[in-house]
Amino acid sequence: MKEKLPYYLKSHFHIFLFLTFFSFTHYNAIAAENNCGEIENIEFSNGNSSQAISDGGSYNIGDLPSDFYINLSYSGNVKSVRYFVKNLDTNQEYSKLENFEPYTFPGGNSPWNLGEGTFSIKVKAYKFNYGLGWACDQKT
């Protein structure tokens, strides 16, 4: 006849399995993060000249490069970028996913077409195409 394990051994075995699973998933998450990219700079650009965008900055549209768009520079492994742009004057929101470099808004090096106003721009960089997975980095 087969002996049953005492209750305290069964509970320890479950704890062992849990800790093993947690350690494995935690290690994989750290490894995935280490292979992710970082946003270095967000700027107004037209391909020839550019001006860095700083958090809380105020910019006169006449001082910006002509036919500008928003451009992102990064380091590391980035396969897609999602822009979230909100006009704080009208509360209109715009979102754009870019899968091809250069990662720009409104996209494809097209010039800014949202007019003048006060805007909040949030950018998320992803390790995978189509904005899949966790964001590697984000800047607002």
Side-chain angles (χ1 to χ4, degrees), residues 5-62:
L5 286 175
Y7 175 76
Y8 63 89
L9 288 179
K10 286 182 187 178
S11 65
H12 284 82
F13 181 71
H14 286 96
I15 291 171
F16 171 77
L17 284 177
F18 173 77
L19 290 175
T20 303
F21 176 76
F22 178 78
S23 298
F24 179 76
T25 55
H26 181 68
Y27 173 78
N28 284 342
I30 289 172
E33 285 179 8
N34 290 337
N35 197 18
C36 247
E38 288 185 16
I39 298 171
E40 290 184 347
N41 191 27
I42 303 169
E43 63 187 7
F44 298 108
S45 179
N46 63 7
N48 296 319
S49 60
S50 62
Q51 179 177 347
I53 298 174
S54 62
D55 189 19
S58 180
Y59 306 92
N60 183 340
I61 198 161

Side-chain angles (χ1 to χ4, degrees), residues 57-135:
S58 180
Y59 306 92
N60 183 340
I61 198 161
D63 296 335
L64 300 177
S66 61
D67 296 327
F68 71 88
Y69 46 84
I70 306 298
N71 186 46
L72 173 122
S73 59
Y74 67 93
S75 63
N77 189 11
V78 172
K79 298 291 185 202
S80 60
V81 170
R82 185 177 306 272
Y83 286 92
F84 301 92
V85 178
K86 182 175 183 178
N87 184 325
L88 300 176
D89 300 328
T90 65
N91 288 324
Q92 286 186 295
E93 296 180 0
Y94 309 89
S95 177
K96 173 72 174 154
L97 177 67
E98 284 283 293
N99 285 305
F100 301 103
E101 294 183 64
Y103 300 124
T104 63
F105 181 89
N109 296 342
S110 298
W112 180 265
N113 58 6
L114 302 181
E116 295 181 30
T118 305
F119 292 88
S120 170
I121 300 170
K122 179 168 43 171
V123 184
K124 290 185 176 186
Y126 296 88
K127 180 179 174 182
F128 301 106
N129 284 327
Y130 308 107
L132 296 176
W134 292 278

Side-chain angles (χ1 to χ4, degrees), residues 1-6 10:
M1 183 161 137
K2 200 173 192 182
E3 256 184 74
K4 289 187 175 185
L5 286 175
K10 286 182 187 178

